[in-house]
Amino acid sequence: MKDFEADDCIQAFRQLYNDGANTKTRMLRKLNTEAKDHIDETIVEESFDTLKRKLKKYIFLTRLFSSDLKLSEVLSFYEYEETDGIFATMHKTKGTGIDDVLVVCDEYGWVSEYDFLSCFTGQKPQSKREVQSRKLLYVACSRTKSNLAFVRLVSCDEELKYLKIVFGDNEEIVFP
């Protein structure tokens, strides 16, 4: 970890990445418009994936061993992973029914593959990504026998309007 913190190139990469240049294209574009010490286009072009992996590992280890992460959260995650908990990720559920289903509809980590907002606009899907999003959402919701709970973090009033049309009565929780 000390090697990571002492490496000026990695720190310059980290700063760019945290400033929104989190893809190779964005980073190269930002480097073309701003002069950065300790990192150049060649390094990014050749080592972006490696540097990104190192950065993610560093962030993971830093958070894992920080006081921010409670042992109870680690144990809950371990219980979930071992499927001893009350939640499970279901695969190959065709033709089966599940009594209680919780669908957390969030593209985090899958933004390039899914666009769930497009599922609620009432418009015909325009891209493969939108079609795939609808298929996944259909499978997630249609396996419910008794109780379906659908969770979505909403970023605009228009999206909330669409969700109310699709789901009707719902409970809205507003964060400050």
Side-chain angles (χ1 to χ4, degrees):
M1 296 255 280
K2 289 181 182 178
D3 292 342
F4 183 92
E5 292 171 351
D7 188 322
D8 291 335
C9 177
I10 291 177
Q11 291 307 314
F13 179 88
R14 178 182 179 191
Q15 184 65 47
L16 285 165
Y17 191 89
N18 290 339
D19 287 344
N22 54 3
T23 66
K24 186 187 293 187
T25 304
R26 288 179 187 162
M27 194 167 288
L28 290 171
R29 193 176 313 131
K30 194 160 187 133
L31 285 172
N32 283 330
T33 59
E34 301 173 14
K36 291 285 180 187
D37 294 335
H38 309 296
I39 192 165
D40 62 33
E41 291 178 39
T42 308
I43 293 170
V44 171
E45 191 68 51
E46 294 173 359
S47 304
F48 181 85
D49 293 331
T50 302
L51 291 169
K52 184 176 176 180
R53 272 193 303 280
K54 285 182 180 182
L55 176 61
K56 287 188 176 234
K57 182 178 178 181
Y58 172 79
I59 291 168
F60 173 77
L61 291 172
T62 301
R63 289 181 179 166
L64 180 63
F65 294 110
S66 75
S67 61
D68 295 341
L69 184 62
K70 297 178 179 110
L71 180 59
S72 62
E73 293 174 353
V74 174
L75 293 174
S76 293
F77 178 74
Y78 178 78
E79 184 178 298
Y80 167 77
E81 283 293 305
E82 294 299 311
T83 65
D84 293 336
I86 59 172
F87 298 106
T89 301
M90 305 297 290
H91 299 281
K92 299 182 180 178
T93 60
K94 187 173 183 177
T96 63
I98 304 164
D99 289 329
D100 302 308
V101 174
L102 168 65
V103 175
V104 179
C105 187
D106 187 17
E107 296 91 343
Y108 180 79
W110 299 93
V111 173
S112 62
E113 295 180 47
Y114 298 104
D115 174 16
F116 295 117
L117 174 60
S118 70
C119 297
F120 307 109
T121 61
Q123 304 292 321
K124 185 177 178 182
Q126 300 295 315
S127 67
K128 180 180 177 185
R129 185 170 156 239
E130 290 178 2
V131 170
Q132 289 299 103
S133 300
R134 287 180 186 215
K135 285 181 180 179
L136 181 62
L137 190 59
Y138 168 77
V139 169
C141 294
S142 67
R143 302 302 180 248
T144 308
K145 283 184 181 177
S146 306
N147 299 304
L148 171 64
F150 183 86
V151 178
R152 173 96 173 141
L153 295 176
V154 178
S155 57
C156 66
D157 290 336
E158 185 177 15
E159 182 176 0
L160 183 59
K161 178 184 83 175
Y162 292 136
L163 285 169
K164 285 182 178 182
I165 291 169
V166 174
F167 288 102
D169 185 32
N170 59 62
E171 184 173 342
E172 182 180 337
I173 300 170
V174 179
F175 293 99

